[in-house]
């Protein structure tokens, strides 16, 4: 995955999916806990009253009270000890704290409710349906019985309110907003359920139970509630979940973008250093994405600039050194010419000056050629070239200057290579001319095929090149030992030009020892340019 945008958007999408799943699971978990607390709070008052009925009862009395509660609530109610209930550590801890414990029993429609009795190491257990009218009426009846036993005063009601999770109050019937049917039911001594607007987020229910009735009026009414229905998604919970989700999205986006921003900053600092003239600037940015590719290109560019500047400096020093010698000879020759008395002597001096000028022209021509090659890779018109034909043509061209040195050509005449005939001719010309300078009696050009490559060896029988100096021969104006210095001819630019042309063709050149003890220059060129695959500087292999 190399696209930076795919990485960012893909990472954010995955993060959103994970955050959504975590948010949903978190909300469900919180809702489960809130639902448990809601049911415990709604059931605590009822079970407190149920447990108070067991206070001071013996076994027979507890059984009778259990039977009464079972009929009142329409559900089985019993008393059991800790061993019989098999309480868990959490259940026992909550019961000892006076809390209501709800336990699932495998039936989704019912739930077991446990509560500790006040004066015995026993526990009340009731299997109840979800909140129903019968349970609400039974709760109201227990409240009235509790208040009746304690005189029905406000003190008893205040004490009872501490155990309920919803309001309890005694209110005159005249203050209640009731319709005619509800008033008639209260007159008959029945419980009345009053529902708020079901479309409201604060939907609730109230249970109204007459306290004392008569034939004509209902002076007071016990009001249980309002009991608000459980809201699984209150705005507070949604707000918290939304804020947490946004924070997680922000963090995930930051974690996705920050590495890219850091790498861009590194690249920016390197560019700024280069703009300030620091050619050693290096962008320490890795990766195969576009940023890594730009950084790699930038590092290659800075390295190339450093090489060019260093090459320019070396060339400037070398050119100044190389030009100094012929210019000095010209100045010396002009001074000598002024002292010549005979015409023949002046003619000899003029011929010597002409040779120095010719040598200076050759040097300038070599320098200009090398400078053009250093400007960059030209547009090469690759075409099939017969290497043997070029070798034989070159041998004929050098026939007049080779003297007693024999030039041999070996290899198949049908071997071709994709290249530019002019540049390939220049490669062979420089190599063979260089070999003729140092050969004792023989120079040989050998052609052969190795895989998808063409290999050309140029051997001479001279003194060879020491191994530790073989890399230096390709540097411009390189100076070796006395057997291969400027006195033998040349300016040290020919092999540099050869190396540059070979690199254009996707090949490489190596120096070794020939079978005769002299130097061997081996040129390796790809047969077809489409087969070329460069692994590194000076290392080429077929695909």
């Amino acid at each position: 995955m190399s696209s930076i945008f795919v990485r960012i958007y893909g990472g954010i999408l995955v993060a959103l999916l994970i955050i959504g799943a975590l948010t949903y699971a978190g909300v469900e978990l919180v809702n489960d806990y809130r639902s448990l607390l809601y049911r415990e709070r709604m059931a605590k008052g009822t079970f407190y009253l149920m447990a108070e009925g067991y206070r001071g009862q013996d076994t027979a009395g507890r059984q009778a009270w259990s039977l009464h509660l079972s009929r009142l609530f329409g559900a089985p109610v019993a008393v059991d000890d800790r061993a019989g209930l098999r309480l868990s550590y959490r259940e026992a801890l909550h019961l000892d704290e006076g809390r209501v414990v709800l336990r699932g029993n495998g039936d989704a429609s019912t739930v077991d409710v446990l509560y500790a009795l006040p004066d015995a190491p026993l526990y009340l257990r009731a299997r109840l349906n979800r909140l129903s009218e019968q349970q609400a009426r039974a709760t109201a009846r227990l409240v009235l019985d509790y208040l009746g036993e304690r005189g029905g005063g406000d003190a008893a009601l205040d004490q009872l309110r501490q155990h309920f999770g919803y309001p309890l109050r005694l209110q005159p019937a005249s203050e209640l907003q009731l319709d005619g049917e509800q008033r008639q039911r209260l007159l008959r001594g029945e419980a009345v359920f009053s529902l708020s607007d079901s479309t409201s987020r604060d939907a609730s229910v109230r249970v109204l139970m007459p306290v004392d009735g008569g034939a004509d009026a209902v002076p007071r009414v016990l009001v249980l509630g309002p009991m608000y229905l459980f809201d699984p998604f209150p705005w507070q919970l949604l707000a918290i979940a939304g804020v947490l989700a946004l924070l997680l999205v922000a963090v995930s986006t930051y974690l996705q973008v920050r590495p890219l921003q850091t790498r861009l900053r590194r690249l920016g600092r390197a560019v700024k250093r280069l703009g300030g003239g620091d050619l050693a600037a290096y962008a320490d940015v890795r990766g195969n994405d576009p940023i890594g590719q730009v950084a790699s290109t930038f590092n290659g560019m800075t390295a190339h600039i450093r090489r060019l500047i260093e090459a320019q400096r070396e060339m400037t020093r070398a050119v100044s050194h190389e030009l100094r010698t012929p210019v000095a000879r010209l100045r010396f020759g002009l001074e000598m010419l002024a002292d010549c008395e005979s015409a023949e002597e002046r003619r000899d001096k003029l011929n010597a000056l002409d040779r120095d000028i010719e040598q200076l022209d050759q040097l300038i021509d070599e320098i200009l050629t090398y400078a053009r090659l250093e400007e960059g890779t030209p547009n090469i018109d690759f075409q099939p070239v017969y290497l043997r034909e070029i070798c034989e043509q070159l041998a004929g061209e050098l026939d007049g200057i080779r003297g007693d040195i024999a030039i041999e050509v070996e290899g198949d005449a049908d071997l071709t290579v994709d290249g530019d005939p002019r540049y390939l001719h220049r490669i062979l010309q420089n190599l063979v001319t260089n070999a003729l300078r140092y050969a004792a009696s023989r120079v040989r050009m050998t052609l052969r095929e190795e895989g998808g490559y063409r290999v050309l060896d140029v051997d001479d029988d001279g003194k060879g090149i020491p191994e530790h100096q073989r890399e230096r021969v390709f540097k411009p104006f390189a100076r070796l030992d006395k057997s291969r210095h400027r006195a033998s001819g040349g300016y040290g630019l020919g092999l540099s030009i050869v190396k540059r042309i070979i690199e254009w063709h996707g090949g490489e050149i190596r120096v070794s020892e020939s079978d005769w003890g002299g130097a061997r220059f081996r040129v390796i060129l790809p047969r077809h340019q489409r087969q070329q695959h460069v692994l590194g500087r000076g290392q080429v292999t077929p695909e």
Side-chain angles (χ1 to χ4, degrees):
M1 188 180 298
S2 60
S3 174
I4 186 173
F5 297 105
V6 172
R7 290 179 58 187
I8 293 177
Y9 295 144
I12 292 177
L13 177 61
V14 172
L16 289 176
L17 293 176
I18 295 175
I19 291 170
L22 292 177
T23 303
Y24 177 79
V27 170
E28 288 296 318
L29 184 63
V30 172
N31 275 332
D32 289 343
Y33 182 70
R34 290 178 59 248
S35 176
L36 178 63
L37 293 180
Y38 171 81
R39 289 184 290 172
E40 289 181 357
R41 185 176 67 253
M42 299 299 290
K44 183 178 179 181
T46 301
F47 276 79
Y48 170 76
L49 294 174
M50 294 169 66
E52 284 295 315
Y54 288 99
R55 186 185 294 274
Q57 299 282 357
D58 56 10
T59 303
R62 286 194 290 268
Q63 292 177 351
W65 182 246
S66 297
L67 183 60
H68 171 71
L69 293 176
S70 298
R71 289 197 299 266
L72 186 64
F73 283 88
V77 178
V79 174
D80 207 343
D81 57 12
R82 181 173 298 204
L85 294 175
R86 297 181 181 178
L87 299 175
S88 66
Y89 173 78
R90 184 190 66 84
E91 292 175 338
L93 181 63
H94 287 183
L95 290 172
D96 292 342
E97 294 175 352
R99 296 173 57 179
V100 174
V101 173
L102 281 74
R103 174 195 288 181
N105 52 42
D107 186 357
S109 62
T110 62
V111 62
D112 287 343
V113 185
L114 308 178
Y115 192 79
L117 297 186
D119 58 352
L122 298 174
Y123 301 93
L124 173 64
R125 178 177 64 184
R127 178 163 295 181
L128 301 177
N129 294 321
R130 305 300 178 185
L131 182 63
S132 64
E133 292 186 13
Q134 182 175 359
Q135 296 173 19
R137 287 194 297 267
T139 301
R141 178 55 56 191
L142 290 177
V143 171
L144 292 177
D145 291 344
Y146 180 88
L147 295 177
E149 293 174 359
R150 289 161 176 77
D154 292 336
L157 186 61
D158 291 339
Q159 182 180 1
L160 193 58
R161 287 191 182 106
Q162 301 176 5
H163 302 280
F164 275 78
Y166 46 86
L168 296 177
R169 67 181 183 276
L170 292 172
Q171 189 172 355
S174 59
E175 298 179 359
L176 298 174
Q177 295 180 356
L178 303 173
D179 57 26
E181 182 181 357
Q182 291 173 334
R183 290 184 180 275
Q184 289 299 323
R185 294 183 62 183
L186 289 177
L187 287 173
R188 293 194 298 267
E190 299 176 2
V192 175
F193 285 82
S194 176
L195 299 176
S196 66
D197 185 6
S198 60
T199 61
S200 173
R201 292 186 59 87
D202 297 329
S204 62
V205 61
R206 293 184 302 169
V207 180
L208 310 178
M209 179 68 74
V211 177
D212 45 14
D216 299 324
V218 181
R220 288 195 305 169
V221 176
L222 173 65
V223 181
L224 281 70
M227 293 177 280
Y228 293 98
L229 302 181
F230 177 71
D231 183 6
F233 297 104
W235 69 267
Q236 297 93 337
L237 179 60
L238 293 178
I240 294 174
V243 170
L244 290 177
L246 289 176
L247 289 176
L248 291 175
V249 169
V251 171
S252 63
T253 303
Y254 173 77
L255 294 177
Q256 285 286 329
V257 174
R258 181 178 176 177
L260 303 176
Q261 186 179 16
T262 301
R263 299 167 71 203
L264 286 174
R265 285 177 178 174
R266 292 178 183 173
L267 181 58
R269 287 195 296 266
V271 172
K272 187 175 181 180
R273 288 176 55 192
L274 180 63
D278 184 6
L279 297 180
Y282 179 80
D284 187 13
V285 179
R286 297 177 177 83
N288 295 322
D289 59 353
I291 296 179
Q293 294 174 4
V294 170
S296 177
T297 303
F298 173 82
N299 293 333
M301 178 188 69
T302 55
H304 183 63
I305 292 175
R306 288 195 301 271
R307 288 195 298 269
L308 290 178
I309 292 179
E310 184 63 26
Q312 183 183 26
R313 291 173 180 171
E314 292 182 359
M315 178 171 288
T316 301
R317 291 192 296 265
V319 167
S320 63
H321 176 75
E322 293 294 336
L323 290 176
R324 187 178 295 114
T325 300
V327 169
R329 287 204 303 266
L330 286 173
R331 181 181 294 111
F332 180 74
L334 289 173
E335 294 176 356
M336 294 293 295
L337 182 63
D339 296 334
C340 292
E341 297 179 355
S342 64
E344 183 178 358
E345 187 176 0
R346 283 195 298 271
R347 187 166 46 255
D348 293 338
K349 294 298 181 183
L350 288 174
N351 291 334
L353 290 175
D354 185 66
R355 288 194 296 271
D356 289 337
I357 293 174
E358 182 180 358
Q359 183 181 6
L360 188 59
D361 286 340
Q362 293 175 356
L363 174 59
I364 292 173
D365 182 66
E366 289 288 302
I367 292 173
L368 292 177
T369 301
Y370 182 78
R372 285 195 301 270
L373 297 180
E374 284 294 312
E375 290 179 357
T377 304
N379 293 325
I380 300 178
D381 182 18
F382 290 103
Q383 56 182 289
V385 178
Y386 289 91
L387 290 176
R388 174 95 185 221
E389 181 178 331
I390 294 180
C391 293
E392 292 176 348
Q393 176 186 353
L394 181 62
E397 294 174 356
L398 298 177
D399 186 63
I401 63 173
R402 66 183 182 180
D404 296 334
I405 301 177
I407 298 179
E408 305 172 6
V409 179
E410 298 180 1
D412 190 350
D414 296 330
L415 289 180
T416 62
V417 66
D418 288 347
D420 189 302
R422 296 174 302 162
Y423 289 120
L424 294 178
H425 182 275
R426 183 62 180 266
I427 291 173
L428 289 172
Q429 180 181 8
N430 286 11
L431 290 178
V432 175
T433 303
N434 184 74
L436 289 174
R437 293 194 186 103
Y438 310 114
S441 60
R442 301 175 62 185
V443 172
R444 180 178 62 196
M445 291 179 281
T446 306
L447 303 172
R448 69 177 185 278
E449 178 181 5
E450 289 186 2
Y453 288 81
R454 299 294 185 258
V455 180
L456 168 63
D457 290 339
V458 177
D459 298 339
D460 65 64
D461 60 350
K463 295 184 178 181
I465 301 175
E467 185 174 356
H468 66 279
Q469 293 183 334
R470 290 174 182 172
E471 290 298 324
R472 291 188 57 223
V473 297
F474 298 109
K475 295 182 179 180
F477 303 106
R479 288 290 176 263
L480 304 182
D481 58 10
K482 293 182 179 181
S483 64
R484 304 181 80 93
H485 60 34
R486 188 181 56 196
S488 301
Y491 305 98
L493 289 175
L495 294 180
S496 300
I497 295 173
V498 166
K499 182 176 177 63
R500 181 65 64 190
I501 296 175
I502 292 174
E503 289 176 351
W504 289 349
H505 286 74
E508 63 173 305
I509 183 170
R510 303 171 184 172
V511 184
S512 60
E513 184 178 349
S514 69
D515 298 337
W516 305 324
R520 168 177 291 173
F521 286 85
R522 172 167 294 177
V523 179
I524 303 175
L525 298 173
R527 165 64 183 89
H528 299 289
Q529 288 300 312
R530 64 177 178 271
Q531 293 178 327
Q532 174 186 342
H533 182 61
V534 181
L535 296 179
R537 189 176 181 183
Q539 181 181 4
V540 183
T541 59
E543 290 183 344

